[in-house]
């Protein structure tokens, strides 16, 4: 059973940056796609970014394209989300997840989830 632990969240002013990390234990993630999702209060969980097993292919939500970058270090069993030019509407709990194949963008394609890390962007 894989355990995913997110870190790096916090409070930042609009225009600032944060780097989220997702560390995996219990199983190597090197053969699986990984994704980041977020959920704001009163809203459904939404796709943010995904990366295939090798790191060659990525996908992003339109709302974060050009500002966020997903990457992975399979040797460290870790996935990252670099978030730049943050906006108040990026405020949410951010979750990482491990998928099964491809570069999935829907929550149902992911079988393992972390507990989430809070990101708050002040205006």
């Amino acid at each position: 059973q894989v355990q995913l632990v997110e870190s790096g969240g916090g409070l930042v002013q609009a225009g600032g940056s944060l780097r989220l990390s997702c560390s995996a234990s219990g199983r190597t993630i090197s053969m699986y796609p990984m994704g980041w999702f977020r959920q704001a209060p009163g809203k459904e969980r939404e796709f943010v970014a995904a990366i295939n097993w090798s790191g060659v292919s990525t996908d992003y939500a339109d709302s974060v394209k050009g500002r966020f970058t997903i990457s992975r270090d399979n040797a460290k069993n870790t996935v990252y989300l670099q978030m730049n030019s943050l906006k108040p509407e990026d405020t949410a709990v951010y979750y990482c997840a491990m998928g099964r194949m491809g570069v999935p963008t829907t929550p149902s394609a992911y079988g393992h989830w972390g507990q989430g890390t809070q990101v708050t962007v002040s205006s």
Side-chain angles (χ1 to χ4, degrees), residues 31-49:
M31 297 305 294
Y32 301 97
M34 299 294 293
W36 286 96
F37 290 77
R38 66 187 182 187
Q39 188 166 19
K43 295 187 177 181
E44 293 188 353
R45 191 168 298 190
E46 65 172 358
F47 169 74
V48 175

Side-chain angles (χ1 to χ4, degrees), residues 31-34 50-53 98-105 109-110:
M31 297 305 294
Y32 301 97
M34 299 294 293
I51 188 167
N52 79 322
W53 69 273
M98 188 177 81
R100 301 177 183 88
M101 64 176 64
V103 189
T105 62
Y110 291 83

Side-chain angles (χ1 to χ4, degrees), residues 41-116:
K43 295 187 177 181
E44 293 188 353
R45 191 168 298 190
E46 65 172 358
F47 169 74
V48 175
I51 188 167
N52 79 322
W53 69 273
S54 67
V56 170
S57 297
T58 58
D59 199 0
Y60 297 91
D62 288 342
S63 59
V64 307
K65 207 168 287 185
R67 300 188 298 122
F68 291 11
T69 302
I70 188 171
S71 62
R72 65 190 300 160
D73 185 337
N74 286 338
K76 295 183 178 179
N77 230 25
T78 301
V79 180
Y80 305 97
L81 185 68
Q82 177 67 44
M83 305 186 295
N84 298 328
S85 302
L86 282 161
K87 305 175 181 179
E89 50 263 45
D90 294 319
T91 295
V93 177
Y94 283 71
Y95 299 88
C96 78
M98 188 177 81
R100 301 177 183 88
M101 64 176 64
V103 189
T105 62
T106 57
S108 61
Y110 291 83
H112 300 278
W113 294 82
Q115 292 300 306

